[in-house]
Amino acid sequence: SQTIHQWPATLVQPVGSPLSLECTVEGTSNPNLYWYRQAAGRGLQLLFYSVGIGQISSEVPQNLSASRPQDRQFILSSKKLLLSDSGFYLCARLGQGASGMNTEAFFGQGTRLTVV
Amino acid sequence: AQSVSQHNHHVILSEAASLELGCNYSYGGTVNLFWYVQYPGQHLQLLLKYFSGDPLVKGIKGFEAEFIKSKFSFNLRKPSVQWSDTAEYFCAVKRSSYKLIFGSGTRLLVRP
């Protein structure tokens, strides 16, 4: 199966502290990976996406960064958290059908981040 | 700017009423289209998807959507809603660049 592991599930961090959220996938190679932030009334905001190791596309200039050090690992980071970084963060990957073509997105369980 | 628009932010219907949720996107070229649903307290799940072929797509739980290329639209429909359809619905568009954009969502409340 093509599984996404995302942790931690919940996190409370003080303002100004660093952040590292990790997402790993199993059962597929060279997946397209995404970080989203979900906020009430704003849907899923695309933050970063990656089509391969070291390849990061940033969609929203903000206090966050992403890295892809390994094929199946996608990390969301911040050097100094802001109150406005609070939210629900989702990692996603595109599925791969039997023919190798990309299918729909599959999501991790998400991380609820509260910055205090 | 590239975007996906869901014009109805909140919809309230009675059971057995018909549903249509709008979704428009602003890209040209080839796109893949999706509708996801998020039930209260649960995670996103796929309702239906369009990649090519018949522009009328049937999904799970009696939902369907029609891709109208000339209107850049992919509206979601259900002829008769149930109380259990109360949820938030998200339209999403994927371009050939693998960029996958979601709309802001529509919250549907179905009254019994």
Side-chain angles (χ1 to χ4, degrees):
Chain A
S1 64
Q2 301 176 34
T3 305
I4 303 176
H5 297 286
Q6 190 179 341
W7 67 91
T10 59
L11 189 60
V12 180
Q13 291 283 100
V15 169
S17 65
L19 172 73
S20 181
L21 301 181
E22 188 164 343
C23 171
T24 59
V25 300
E26 294 179 359
T28 182
S29 60
N30 197 29
N32 296 306
L33 299 173
Y34 303 80
W35 277 112
Y36 292 91
R37 178 165 57 202
Q38 186 175 15
R42 297 189 61 185
L44 276 72
Q45 181 186 29
L46 178 62
L47 303 176
F48 303 94
Y49 69 102
S50 172
V51 299
I53 296 174
Q55 300 179 61
I56 308 295
S57 296
S58 174
E59 290 301 306
V60 183
Q62 54 194 336
N63 188 41
L64 301 170
S65 62
S67 61
R68 188 165 174 179
Q70 300 180 42
D71 182 44
R72 300 177 187 181
Q73 186 183 33
F74 200 26
I75 298 172
L76 183 69
S77 304
S78 174
K79 292 183 179 178
K80 289 186 177 182
L81 284 169
L82 306 172
L83 287 175
S84 58
D85 291 325
S86 294
F88 189 60
Y89 290 83
L90 283 163
C91 179
R93 61 157 182 84
L94 286 184
Q96 290 182 338
S99 62
M101 289 185 63
N102 288 309
T103 60
E104 67 270 24
F106 295 88
F107 291 86
Q109 296 298 297
T111 296
R112 175 74 60 190
L113 171 66
T114 304
V115 182
V116 296
Chain B
Q2 302 166 349
S3 68
V4 179
S5 299
Q6 292 182 243
H7 306 293
N8 312 104
H9 298 294
H10 292 89
V11 174
I12 301 174
L13 295 173
S14 299
E15 276 194 315
S18 63
L19 171 71
E20 181 160 3
L21 301 182
C23 174
N24 289 89
Y25 61 94
S26 62
Y27 315 117
T30 302
V31 293
N32 301 143
L33 301 161
F34 309 86
W35 276 98
Y36 283 82
V37 61
Q38 188 170 32
Y39 297 101
Q42 297 185 26
H43 300 290
L44 286 160
Q45 59 180 276
L46 182 71
L47 269 180
L48 47 79
K49 59 187 177 185
Y50 173 81
F51 279 70
S52 63
D54 189 344
L56 184 61
V57 180
K58 296 196 182 295
I60 61 172
K61 305 185 179 185
F63 286 91
E64 65 178 29
E66 185 175 13
F67 171 48
I68 303 179
K69 188 174 182 179
S70 61
K71 294 185 178 180
F72 298 90
S73 70
F74 190 55
N75 292 353
L76 181 70
R77 300 194 292 249
K78 186 171 184 177
S80 177
V81 295
Q82 302 172 322
W83 175 79
S84 57
D85 293 323
T86 293
E88 190 162 15
Y89 293 81
F90 296 93
C91 179
V93 178
K94 182 174 72 68
R95 304 189 65 190
S96 56
S97 62
Y98 303 109
K99 187 173 174 178
L100 177 61
I101 300 291
F102 283 78
S104 57
T106 297
R107 291 194 173 188
L108 172 65
L109 173 63
V110 180
R111 291 178 170 161

